[in-house]
Amino acid sequence: MTAAGSGSFQDGRIASKRLMMLVALLLVSCCLGHGFGDEDHVEVEGIGSSCMENERRALLAIKSDMYDPGDRFSSWTGKDCCGWRGVACDNTTGHVTKLDLRYPYTYTYTYTYTYDMWDVLYDVETIGASKVNPSLQELKYLKYLDLSMNNFSHAPVPKMIASLVHLEYLNLSNAMFDGPIPPPFENLSNLHYLDLQGWYYDDFLHVDDLDWLSRIPSLKYIDMSFVNLSKAINWFYVINSIPALEVLRLSYADLPYVPSPLPPFNLTAIATLDLSWNSNITSAMLRWLSNATSLENLLLSGCGSLTIESLQVALGALSNLKELDLSFNSLEGEIREILNNVSSRGLKHLDLSSNQLSGDIPPGSLRDLEYLDLSWNSIVTLHILASLGNLTNLRHLDLGYNLISGEIPPTVGDSVRLEYLDLSNNGINGKIPQAIGNLSNLLELHLSGNKIVGWIPPSIGNLTNLVYLDLSYNNIVGWIPPSISNLTNLVTLDLSRNNIVRWIPPSIGNLTNLVYLSLSRNNISGYIPETLGTLIHMEELFLSNNNLSGQIPMTIGKLHYLQNLDMSYNNLSGQIPTTIGKLHYLQNLDMSYNNLSGQIPKKI
Ligand SMILES: *[C@@H]1O[C@H](CO)[C@@H](O)[C@H](O)[C@H]1NC(C)=O
Ligand SMILES: *[C@@H]1O[C@H](CO)[C@@H](O)[C@H](O)[C@H]1NC(C)=O
Ligand SMILES: *[C@@H]1O[C@H](CO)[C@@H](O)[C@H](O)[C@H]1NC(C)=O
Ligand SMILES: *[C@@H]1O[C@H](CO)[C@@H](O)[C@H](O)[C@H]1NC(C)=O
Ligand SMILES: *[C@@H]1O[C@H](CO)[C@@H](O)[C@H](O)[C@H]1NC(C)=O
Ligand SMILES: *[C@@H]1O[C@H](CO)[C@@H](O)[C@H](O)[C@H]1NC(C)=O
Ligand SMILES: *[C@@H]1O[C@H](CO)[C@@H](O)[C@H](O)[C@H]1NC(C)=O
Ligand SMILES: *[C@@H]1O[C@H](CO)[C@@H](O)[C@H](O)[C@H]1NC(C)=O
Ligand SMILES: *[C@@H]1O[C@H](CO)[C@@H](O)[C@H](O)[C@H]1NC(C)=O
Ligand SMILES: *[C@@H]1O[C@H](CO)[C@@H](O)[C@H](O)[C@H]1NC(C)=O
Ligand SMILES: *[C@@H]1O[C@H](CO)[C@@H](O)[C@H](O)[C@H]1NC(C)=O
Ligand SMILES: *[C@@H]1O[C@H](CO)[C@@H](O)[C@H](O)[C@H]1NC(C)=O
């Protein structure tokens, strides 16, 4: 299946855990690319202070080495550089104090479903190479420097940045620098924000000795995710000596193991800690964290050797926790063993996916929860669904890939804030309750790969915000309810591999945003409606293995973006429509096992 776009399908399910990891990883580093000059500088030049000529010339030199595919620097004309986009000056001295050259990076991604596997393809924008012009040194009064998301194509991190000793904010994240972070950075003794996050796939930044960091006591924010710290043996001691630290992100940093005993906990201001995807994070470190009472966001996915016992100790003490991510660990045991300690507090975001957890959510707990991901575990009971009625703040619920059996209770309709509901690939039987129509905020509904029987409830037509509906691989009978034509925001509709009969309602032509439609492997009969031709965004259309008869409508030629068309194994007859020749993007066409005559147009 395909759903092009950037953003709305982040949670689509990928059948291989490795792929999921990769997606998580890419999203982490990709979604950051919003606007250059988003919060356009407010500190414009004050009365009587216009731009210094030497700084203006320096800026022009810097610009001349930066990749610019469009109008990035269109405002960089005239004498008054203080008014240029991304530039700001001190309103009394007139010196340039801010330079924001963040590149407005964009990407799109596409999910495809082939051979029962989800796959994701990234269409990453190629960014032309830039260089850091030595004139940067002229901007001696810079407090704010953002070079993130540019492509400095494996150049070393420029040492001269260390001479900009007034810097309070330095962002070199995702800028494709290579090699070591230069130790002279210790001269940046005014830094509050240091973002050096590496590029996710071909950056090779490393820090072999972190001692210099401890000489910047003003640091509040450090991001060295994707920077190789495997030789920074004393990382833990250095970090622990930065008392003002509020945010620490060291995901995918290959952190070395820290032998016990650990030093006394000193990070009294820490609010966000992301140490995910480091295999040497130990249970001893978790116990140490139990003194981190200010912690709000704790991200420890993919840390390998954590034990439930140590989690209990830590979580019991973290009374301000709002976000907890323990996905992709090998946690084995009952969910309640983890949750008993965090329950009823302000936890909003809980991700325990891809572990080996079983059991239930303790009743009455987690009332503030907005996001719950328990997918890819060993949950058997359906009580978990029954208790949903109490989770009235829930927006995102993923229970996919568990062993849940039983029926979806009507109380599912009480979780009216739900935007994302995934119960796919379990053993759920029974009917889809009519009450599902109450979830009027729902954007995605994933129920595929279960044993669901009965009809599709007509109330589904009330889910008018739905973008994604997947009921495939079930035992659904009856016909497609005409109310489905109400779901005009649908991009993906998959009803394949069920026992749906009767015809395709002509009103399906109302779903003009559809990009993916699969009705294959059912018992649908009758004609293919002409109205299909109004679905002009369609890229994938699968109607195979049904009892469709009559002619293929000429209107098929209007599906300009169609890439895959499968109508095989039906009773279609008559001439192959010549309009198929208009489908320039077509990659796969299967009309075999029908009674068609005529020729495939030569243009194909
Ligand atoms: C640094 O830049 C990235 C991407 O441009 C952004 O997402 C991130 O929030 C910035 N870091 C800080 C500390 O502002
Ligand atoms: C100068 O900027 C500061 C903050 O950046 C502001 O508080 C002050 O009012 C400004 N002064 C003038 C004269 O614009
Ligand atoms: C960065 O620039 C180099 C050199 O021009 C190029 O080979 C590479 O593909 C670019 N990287 C990206 C992600 O655009
Ligand atoms: C860092 O500071 C030291 C001592 O103040 C100085 O000798 C050195 O030149 C500085 N390094 C850089 C790159 O500015
Ligand atoms: C980090 O660098 C070391 C060599 O210094 C290397 O052995 C290791 O594989 C690197 N880690 C990653 C994740 O690339
Ligand atoms: C803890 O922080 C203080 C400053 O608040 C610092 O002086 C001390 O050295 C730190 N202790 C450790 C063990 O790093
Ligand atoms: C840390 O983890 C790496 C794997 O990322 C492993 O190869 C290494 O042996 C570990 N180091 C220690 C000291 O445990
Ligand atoms: C946590 O704090 C308590 C006292 O508040 C102290 O006794 C204990 O040693 C601390 N633990 C760590 C690991 O710092
Ligand atoms: C909802 O919460 C109440 C009170 O906390 C509890 O008694 C009840 O069992 C819960 N209901 C479900 C279905 O979990
Ligand atoms: C939902 O749809 C059904 C049938 O289409 C309708 O009777 C009902 O009023 C609608 N509203 C709600 C809130 O379910
Ligand atoms: C279509 O949606 C509207 C709300 O937008 C609702 O009132 C109506 O009942 C729905 N029709 C059907 C057939 O579900
Ligand atoms: C949906 O399609 C039917 C038949 O094609 C049409 O009569 C009806 O007006 C459409 N409804 C909406 C809401 O577009």
Side-chain angles (χ1 to χ4, degrees):
M1 92 118 222
T2 289
S6 53
S8 48
F9 293 94
Q10 306 187 10
D11 299 297
R13 197 38 81 196
I14 284 88
S16 101
K17 292 193 184 187
R18 277 190 54 214
L19 256 169
M20 274 181 59
M21 244 170 67
L22 181 74
V23 173
L25 193 158
L26 293 180
L27 288 177
V28 163
S29 33
C30 286
C31 299
L32 309 173
H34 303 299
F36 163 76
D38 260 357
E39 7 88 57
D40 254 347
H41 50 275
V42 273
E43 323 164 34
V44 272
E45 86 286 16
I47 309 108
S49 70
S50 64
C51 163
M52 308 266 166
E53 183 55 20
N54 67 321
E55 294 186 338
R56 195 181 72 92
R57 270 194 248 110
L59 284 169
L60 289 175
I62 292 164
K63 170 193 155 186
S64 70
D65 278 344
M66 298 297 293
Y67 171 66
D68 179 18
D71 63 346
R72 218 179 147 188
F73 293 101
S74 59
S75 68
W76 285 40
T77 56
K79 283 281 175 206
D80 187 15
C81 68
C82 296
W84 294 354
R85 191 178 184 198
V87 180
C89 300
D90 184 290
N91 57 11
T92 51
T93 66
H95 286 295
V96 173
T97 52
K98 175 172 178 179
L99 183 56
D100 177 356
L101 295 177
R102 182 183 297 190
Y103 184 79
Y105 176 72
T106 56
Y107 71 98
T108 56
Y109 54 93
T110 316
Y111 281 115
T112 49
Y113 191 75
T114 34
Y115 305 108
D116 298 350
M117 285 281 289
W118 287 95
D119 205 346
V120 67
L121 289 173
Y122 280 82
D123 184 6
V124 179
E125 179 190 347
T126 305
I127 307 165
S130 292
K131 280 188 298 197
V132 181
N133 188 285
S135 300
L136 182 62
Q137 293 172 88
E138 301 291 318
L139 305 176
K140 289 193 177 59
Y141 298 92
L142 273 186
K143 289 183 177 171
Y144 186 110
L145 178 60
D146 188 347
L147 298 175
S148 64
M149 310 305 288
N150 286 286
N151 178 1
F152 294 104
S153 61
H154 303 296
V157 179
K159 282 204 184 69
M160 61 160 153
I161 289 176
S163 70
L164 304 173
V165 292
H166 297 291
L167 279 181
E168 293 171 4
Y169 178 102
L170 177 59
N171 196 340
L172 303 180
S173 76
N174 293 280
M176 296 180 240
F177 285 115
D178 213 336
I181 311 280
F185 269 32
E186 73 185 25
N187 285 12
L188 300 175
S189 57
N190 292 304
L191 272 186
H192 293 303
Y193 297 88
L194 178 60
D195 194 337
L196 300 173
Q197 189 192 108
W199 185 248
Y200 60 89
Y201 67 94
D202 67 351
D203 224 17
F204 304 99
L205 282 175
H206 58 93
V207 181
D208 297 343
D209 181 354
L210 272 180
D211 278 348
W212 54 273
L213 263 189
S214 59
R215 288 189 271 284
I216 316 181
S218 54
L219 274 173
K220 287 198 288 198
Y221 184 111
I222 299 175
D223 190 342
M224 293 198 190
S225 298
F226 300 90
V227 175
N228 189 332
L229 299 180
S230 65
K231 290 188 177 153
I233 306 293
N234 61 347
W235 69 275
F236 192 77
Y237 290 84
V238 170
I239 296 294
N240 194 40
S241 72
I242 305 172
L245 205 56
E246 290 169 14
V247 177
L248 177 64
R249 298 187 186 275
L250 297 176
S251 167
Y252 283 97
D254 211 350
L255 291 170
Y257 172 76
V258 184
S260 294
L262 302 178
F265 179 84
N266 212 11
L267 300 177
T268 47
I270 195 85
T272 296
L273 182 61
D274 181 357
L275 299 177
S276 49
W277 302 102
N278 285 291
S279 51
N280 293 323
I281 299 302
T282 57
S283 294
M285 233 175 261
L286 273 180
R287 287 190 200 97
W288 176 84
L289 266 186
S290 61
N291 281 8
T293 44
S294 55
L295 206 57
E296 293 180 4
N297 309 294
L298 178 58
L299 298 100
L300 294 173
S301 61
C303 285
S305 56
L306 306 178
T307 62
I308 288 205
E309 293 71 37
S310 58
L311 273 172
Q312 283 170 331
V313 176
L315 298 180
L318 301 179
S319 50
N320 288 305
L321 213 54
K322 295 198 165 54
E323 176 187 14
L324 177 62
D325 185 351
L326 295 169
S327 59
F328 293 96
N329 284 296
S330 310
L331 298 171
E332 216 172 316
E334 295 252 341
I335 292 172
R336 70 171 66 222
E337 292 179 65
I338 297 177
L339 293 192
N340 270 345
N341 283 318
V342 282
S343 56
S344 308
R345 293 207 209 95
L347 198 67
K348 287 188 157 52
H349 182 116
L350 177 62
D351 190 345
L352 296 173
S353 63
S354 298
N355 283 294
Q356 291 153 45
L357 297 168
S358 56
D360 239 326
I361 297 179
S365 66
L366 305 178
R367 245 167 289 194
D368 293 323
L369 216 54
E370 292 174 4
Y371 182 107
L372 177 60
D373 190 345
L374 297 174
S375 61
W376 298 90
N377 275 292
S378 310
I379 302 167
V380 178
T381 162
L382 198 84
H383 288 144
I384 200 156
L385 283 177
S387 63
L388 284 181
N390 274 352
L391 302 180
T392 47
N393 289 308
L394 217 51
R395 291 168 203 272
H396 182 109
L397 175 65
D398 192 346
L399 296 173
Y401 292 91
N402 278 289
L403 306 165
I404 300 172
S405 57
E407 299 188 16
I408 304 175
T411 50
V412 75
D414 296 345
S415 304
V416 287
R417 296 217 174 151
L418 272 183
E419 293 170 5
Y420 181 100
L421 177 59
D422 189 342
L423 304 175
S424 65
N425 297 288
N426 280 290
I428 292 172
N429 48 37
K431 299 177 183 173
I432 302 173
Q434 184 78 11
I436 201 106
N438 286 351
L439 304 179
S440 56
N441 291 306
L442 211 56
L443 301 173
E444 299 195 26
L445 178 59
H446 303 251
L447 295 178
S448 64
N450 280 297
K451 294 173 184 153
I452 296 172
V453 297
W455 293 49
I456 301 173
S459 64
I460 203 118
N462 289 335
L463 306 179
T464 48
N465 290 310
L466 216 54
V467 174
Y468 189 108
L469 177 58
D470 186 355
L471 304 179
S472 63
Y473 289 85
N474 278 297
N475 299 318
I476 293 170
V477 297
W479 50 78
I480 302 172
S483 65
I484 211 153
S485 63
N486 230 9
L487 308 182
T488 50
N489 289 308
L490 271 188
V491 173
T492 296
L493 175 57
D494 194 345
L495 302 178
S496 63
R497 301 209 184 222
N498 280 295
N499 295 313
I500 295 169
V501 296
R502 214 163 161 189
W503 55 73
I504 305 174
S507 60
I508 205 154
N510 291 358
L511 307 183
T512 50
N513 286 307
L514 272 187
V515 171
Y516 180 100
L517 173 61
S518 180
L519 302 175
S520 55
R521 291 187 189 266
N522 280 292
N523 281 312
I524 300 171
S525 54
Y527 301 150
I528 299 175
E530 300 244 334
T531 53
L532 218 57
T534 58
L535 307 178
I536 53 169
H537 298 294
M538 189 80 78
E539 293 176 12
E540 322 263 335
L541 178 57
F542 301 103
L543 301 175
S544 68
N545 293 279
N546 280 297
N547 287 317
L548 293 167
S549 57
Q551 297 198 4
I552 301 174
M554 292 293 267
T555 52
I556 200 99
K558 293 185 179 161
L559 307 185
H560 180 69
Y561 296 107
L562 208 57
Q563 294 172 12
N564 285 312
L565 176 58
D566 189 353
M567 301 184 157
S568 60
Y569 292 94
N570 278 296
N571 288 319
L572 297 168
S573 56
Q575 295 278 322
I576 293 172
T578 50
T579 51
I580 279 184
K582 292 184 186 165
L583 304 176
H584 299 301
Y585 293 101
L586 209 56
Q587 290 166 6
N588 297 302
L589 173 64
D590 193 348
M591 298 191 291
S592 60
Y593 294 92
N594 281 295
N595 297 316
L596 294 165
S597 56
Q599 285 178 350
I600 308 252
K602 285 209 184 65
K603 278 189 191 150
I604 293 183

